[in-house]
Amino acid sequence: EFRIATLLGNEGLVCFIAICLGNRGTVTEASGFNPEEDAQKIYNAMKGAGTNEATIIEILAHRTIAQRQKIKEAFKQSVGKELLDCLKSELTGNFEMIVVGLMMPAPVYDAYELKNAIKGAGTEEACLIDILASRSKAEIKEIIATYKKEHGKSLEDDVCGDTSGMFQRVLVSLLTVNKSPALSYLWRRLFDAGEAHWGTDEVKFLTVLCVRNRNHLLRVFQEYQKISGRDIEDSIKREMSGCLEDAFLAIVKCMKNKPAFFAERLYKSMKGLGTTDSVLIRIMVARAEIDMLDIKAEFLKMYGKTLHSFIKGDTSGDYRKILLELCGGEK
């Protein structure tokens, strides 16, 4: 370890360890981290007339979630106020939304986003799909427990109260961790549900696709293509529509290649007129510390342009600056 540190230096050692541990995020632990010093800098950036957003970006976009929690503790101890409350009172718009998201532990942020997607008039189905289709069994369990703790309600009850039909049943299945049925049973059930006859048996698709065992399902998809001569995604597009189609496609895409799924979601959030900021913010915040490097690589491969260039051309101001920091460079 000493020889590696000598060769690479402190920052190089951090990157080397991150690679060994499988960290594919653009946000990694800041070396020489001092939460008290960071808390004081943020306080100074907010006190008096106006706010020094550059300082807030410089600190929060370059600290891990765990480090930001320590900054919150140090801020409360030295200032006597909640950092999150102070940030909300000083910041506005999309910049505020992304900073608020960065200050939350991952399951708290997911629970927060799900609650916002459900409450009020209408439902942001895309949020429910993005989160519930892409999180692991362990992450889903943690989200459910956190949602109950933070909002005093059952996530499943809230989902059921705000959705209906087969779409509701898919979401509830994603919230339920089940054992995997036999492989041969699964691919035959998929074929019988779709390509084998006119009309679609969505319940059979639901039974198969909500199994949530990646290696198991990838083999199911291979067997399905052999027997039907069609990719499972093509069949879903032919057989379904609306939110149900979106949900099933999200499940399949996340199983096949999760970074590619998020790359596509980011692309669609920015292409054309206007930007779907809720999607852009949610993915950039949630994946910055996990697999943003892989998402960037998939984005470039899929669309021939860098994610950095897309964000730069589609956003502005401090919102753009913090997004680009989380994106982690032009390549």
Side-chain angles (χ1 to χ4, degrees), residues 40-58:
Q40 188 59 50
K41 286 180 180 177
I42 292 173
Y43 173 71
N44 291 339
M46 293 189 290
K47 73 177 183 181
T51 305
N52 186 343
E53 287 86 356
T55 298
I56 293 172
I57 294 170
E58 178 60 32

Side-chain angles (χ1 to χ4, degrees), residues 38-162:
D38 283 347
Q40 188 59 50
K41 286 180 180 177
I42 292 173
Y43 173 71
N44 291 339
M46 293 189 290
K47 73 177 183 181
T51 305
N52 186 343
E53 287 86 356
T55 298
I56 293 172
I57 294 170
E58 178 60 32
I59 294 172
L60 297 185
H62 296 95
R63 304 291 185 271
T64 61
I65 295 170
Q67 288 178 328
R68 293 184 204 119
Q69 304 318 300
K70 292 180 180 177
I71 295 171
K72 279 168 66 175
E73 293 168 11
F75 189 93
K76 188 170 184 178
Q77 191 170 17
S78 61
V79 180
K81 295 180 179 180
E82 294 288 350
L83 175 54
L84 197 55
D85 292 339
C86 293
L87 289 168
K88 286 179 179 178
S89 68
E90 291 288 327
L91 310 177
T92 59
N94 289 326
F95 182 60
E96 176 192 350
M97 288 175 63
I98 204 163
V99 169
V100 166
L102 289 173
M103 294 309 300
M104 297 180 186
V108 175
Y109 182 59
D110 281 343
Y112 170 82
E113 284 290 289
L114 289 167
K115 184 65 176 177
N116 286 339
I118 293 169
K119 73 179 183 181
T123 305
E124 190 193 345
E125 289 86 357
C127 175
L128 301 180
I129 294 169
D130 283 357
I131 294 176
L132 298 183
S134 67
R135 303 308 190 250
S136 67
K137 292 179 183 180
E139 287 169 334
I140 291 290
K141 282 184 177 179
E142 202 167 1
I143 291 167
I144 291 169
T146 303
Y147 191 95
K148 180 74 173 178
K149 181 182 176 182
E150 293 287 322
H151 305 295
K153 293 182 178 181
S154 158
L155 176 55
E156 183 176 328
D157 288 348
D158 277 0
V159 167
C160 287
D162 223 55

Side-chain angles (χ1 to χ4, degrees), residues 248-276:
F248 280 138
L249 283 176
I251 294 166
V252 171
K253 289 175 181 178
C254 283
M255 287 293 174
K256 286 184 174 181
N257 187 335
K258 196 176 290 185
F261 167 74
F262 285 120
E264 181 184 11
R265 296 291 291 127
L266 286 168
Y267 175 75
K268 288 182 177 178
S269 77
M270 291 182 283
K271 73 168 187 175
L273 295 173
T275 305
T276 310

